[in-house]
Amino acid sequence: MMATVTSFALMDSLFAFNGIASKIKPLTDHWSIQLNEFCSDLRTDSITVVQWQEKIEELYAQIELEEILKFIQFEQLIKGFQYPDLGVATRKVTFPKLIGLPANTIYVKKIFGMKKDRAIIPHGHSNMASAHLILKGEMHLRHYEKIAQDEQHLLIKPSIDKIAKLGESSSISDEKDNIHWFIANSPTAFTFDVIMLDLNNKLYDIHNLDIYAAEDVKNGMLRVPMLDVGTALEKYGKHHH
Ligand SMILES: [Fe+2]
């Protein structure tokens, strides 16, 4: 019974996007299957992590946001969503059943939601890649390149500073735009995240950064202390104007 309901919901979303039945693209073209392929290709090193970032962002640029919202059942997902006072809350996304799409994907997929002025606090990553699509609202988005790392600091360089609007996307990897920082700029804001963990056959790690304590180094680089998550949330979880 459940399966029937799910496939009807899916058909409904495909119909709504394509207008009429005869124009429905073969399901192998479905964005979720392409996404899955990019992640499998990264896992087997058939593509580089930067290619993975580019392919996902190109894919998102081609799809109507409405189609993604329906496919992940966004309205259902955010029913009763508990917005924390500091930082963000997440919910796991489950894709509807689709031929060619494994029930358990090799990537993590979640939505991240927050109230105005709350943040996905500034942090860098090791052995990880992730892509982020703005599903609702808008955010002040900053990225930095990771230049070097020691026990307690990251040496970083600003790469992106913009207002990310509905339907826009961003991504991180060890190679490109490694550090990110989102602050909600609308009453509520949500991202859809696709996350690849433990790349390079190593465990992933996250480094929360004290950007306000950054020390200017030559060539526009910043030497930034790392923070434990509690301290970082306290300082960056809610933006004070
Ligand atoms: Fe992140």
Side-chain angles (χ1 to χ4, degrees), residues 14-131:
L14 290 171
F15 270 75
F17 175 61
N18 288 286
I20 50 170
S22 64
K23 284 191 180 168
I24 290 181
K25 288 189 278 180
L27 280 181
T28 48
D29 279 354
H30 193 264
W31 68 270
S32 65
I33 290 179
Q34 293 188 47
L35 181 69
N36 197 65
E37 197 179 291
F38 304 155
C39 294
S40 303
D41 286 349
L42 177 59
R43 188 56 79 192
T44 57
D45 289 325
S46 305
I47 57 171
T48 66
V49 76
V50 173
Q51 285 172 328
W52 181 87
Q53 289 177 268
E54 288 167 355
K55 280 170 179 284
I56 293 192
E57 294 209 50
E58 272 168 29
L59 181 66
Y60 285 156
Q62 289 163 14
I63 315 160
E64 294 291 333
L65 183 63
E66 198 56 33
E67 193 191 348
I68 298 178
L69 293 172
K70 280 188 179 161
F71 192 71
I72 68 169
Q73 298 185 284
F74 181 68
E75 288 306 324
Q76 290 285 113
L77 270 179
I78 64 168
K79 263 188 195 139
F81 194 88
Q82 301 283 321
Y83 298 91
D85 186 50
L86 286 178
V88 296
T90 68
R91 283 223 171 140
K92 225 178 94 180
V93 170
T94 308
F95 284 161
K97 277 190 185 147
L98 207 55
I99 294 167
L101 196 62
N104 296 308
T105 55
I106 56 167
Y107 48 94
V108 177
K109 44 195 191 310
K110 281 180 182 173
I111 56 164
F112 283 60
M114 69 206 92
K115 285 192 290 193
K116 189 168 170 41
D117 297 328
R118 274 57 174 195
I120 295 174
I121 59 179
H123 63 280
H125 315 75
S126 294
N127 308 311
M128 255 183 86
S130 62

Side-chain angles (χ1 to χ4, degrees), residues 112 120-121 123-125 128 130 132 172 178-180 182 193 195 206:
F112 283 60
I120 295 174
I121 59 179
H123 63 280
H125 315 75
M128 255 183 86
S130 62
H132 313 267
I172 69 95
N178 184 271
I179 292 99
H180 56 182
F182 296 79
D193 289 31
I195 305 168
I206 290 187

Side-chain angles (χ1 to χ4, degrees), residues 1 45 47 54 62 66 72 101 123 141 168 174 176 188 202 208 229 233:
M1 193 58 208
D45 289 325
I47 57 171
E54 288 167 355
Q62 289 163 14
E66 198 56 33
I72 68 169
L101 196 62
H123 63 280
L141 172 65
E168 292 186 352
D174 284 282
K176 187 166 180 282
T188 62
K202 289 179 190 151
N208 295 296
V229 68
L233 259 181

Side-chain angles (χ1 to χ4, degrees), residues 142-166:
R142 277 167 276 197
H143 275 263
Y144 306 80
E145 295 295 353
K146 177 168 67 177
I147 311 293
Q149 179 176 344
D150 65 29
E151 281 296 293
Q152 278 158 22
H153 300 83
L154 286 189
L155 187 63
I156 68 176
K157 190 170 186 172
S159 57
I160 296 170
D161 186 342
K162 68 172 195 176
I163 300 298
K165 299 217 159 77
L166 203 59

Side-chain angles (χ1 to χ4, degrees), residues 174-239:
D174 284 282
E175 307 299 324
K176 187 166 180 282
D177 297 321
N178 184 271
I179 292 99
H180 56 182
W181 181 13
F182 296 79
I183 300 174
N185 204 26
S186 46
T188 62
F190 283 87
T191 62
F192 171 53
D193 289 31
V194 168
I195 305 168
M196 294 286 291
L197 300 172
D198 301 339
L199 298 177
N200 314 312
N201 295 314
K202 289 179 190 151
L203 292 179
Y204 79 94
D205 203 0
I206 290 187
H207 321 284
N208 295 296
L209 295 179
D210 195 355
I211 298 259
Y212 294 148
E215 177 196 334
D216 276 315
V217 195
K218 59 180 171 40
N219 302 328
M221 288 191 283
L222 303 165
R223 186 169 183 264
V224 190
M226 295 183 199
L227 289 175
D228 67 87
V229 68
T231 311
L233 259 181
E234 201 61 42
K235 190 163 178 182
Y236 293 94
K238 185 175 179 177
H239 184 70

